[in-house]
């Protein structure tokens, strides 16, 4: 888990550098192409793939929906955030995942909703706010002159 977090942060910073010369669409295409090639090799070698079931219309529709909306559109939005807001700002979006996970869990799965959950969300969002505020102050010297 720690290694994944390290790679996620490093990847965001590298994306910021690459997006100086690439469009968001080029970055998305390259990311998904190389990810597919890398993970596809392992999947073909290690997992049995039921090709007949995979080619059924309902399964093809589900795979296309996940690929286009779940990966393609998400990467386009992420790289747009990196390009226009910076890599640090774009990674703050990931802290909103617990909020939406909670909402969908309560709404769709009838999961319990207790005061401890609200306290946890307040703690997470407070941390995001404080981290965002301190990074903006450091990156913009004009704010220290007017304060």
């Amino acid at each position: 888990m720690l290694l994944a977090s390290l790679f996620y942060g490093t990847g965001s910073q590298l994306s910021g550098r690459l997006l100086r010369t690439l469009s968001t669409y080029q970055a998305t295409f390259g990311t998904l192409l190389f990810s597919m090639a890398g993970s596809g090799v392992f999947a073909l070698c290690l997992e049995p793939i039921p090709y007949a079931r995979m080619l059924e219309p309902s399964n093809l529709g589900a795979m296309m929906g996940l690929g286009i909306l779940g990966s393609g559109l998400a990467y386009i939005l992420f790289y747009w955030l990196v390009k226009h807001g910076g890599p640090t700002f774009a990674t703050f979006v990931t802290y909103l995942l617990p909020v939406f996970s909670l909402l969908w869990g309560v709404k769709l799965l009838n999961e319990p909703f207790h005061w401890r959950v609200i306290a946890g969300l307040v703690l997470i969002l407070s941390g995001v706010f404080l981290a965002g505020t301190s990074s903006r102050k450091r990156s913009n010297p004009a704010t220290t002159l007017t304060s």
Side-chain angles (χ1 to χ4, degrees), residues 54-71:
M54 204 166 78
L55 296 175
E56 292 175 7
S58 61
N59 291 338
L60 281 175
M63 287 189 299
M64 287 176 57
L66 284 172
I68 294 169
L69 298 174
S71 296

Side-chain angles (χ1 to χ4, degrees), residues 38-114:
S39 63
V41 168
F42 285 110
L44 289 172
C45 293
L46 301 174
E47 295 289 327
I49 299 173
Y51 292 107
R53 286 185 39 210
M54 204 166 78
L55 296 175
E56 292 175 7
S58 61
N59 291 338
L60 281 175
M63 287 189 299
M64 287 176 57
L66 284 172
I68 294 169
L69 298 174
S71 296
L73 187 61
Y75 270 105
I76 290 170
L77 290 172
F78 178 75
Y79 286 131
W80 185 88
L81 283 173
V82 170
K83 193 169 198 166
H84 295 285
T88 305
F89 174 73
T91 56
F92 285 150
V93 172
T94 60
Y95 295 113
L96 296 175
L97 288 175
V99 175
F100 286 97
S101 299
L102 171 71
L103 291 174
W104 292 124
V106 169
K107 183 73 175 165
L108 300 175
L109 301 174
N110 297 321
E111 291 181 353
F113 186 74
H114 301 289

Side-chain angles (χ1 to χ4, degrees), residues 123-135:
L123 185 65
I124 290 169
L125 295 177
S126 298
V128 171
F129 174 76
L130 290 174
T133 303
S134 65
S135 68

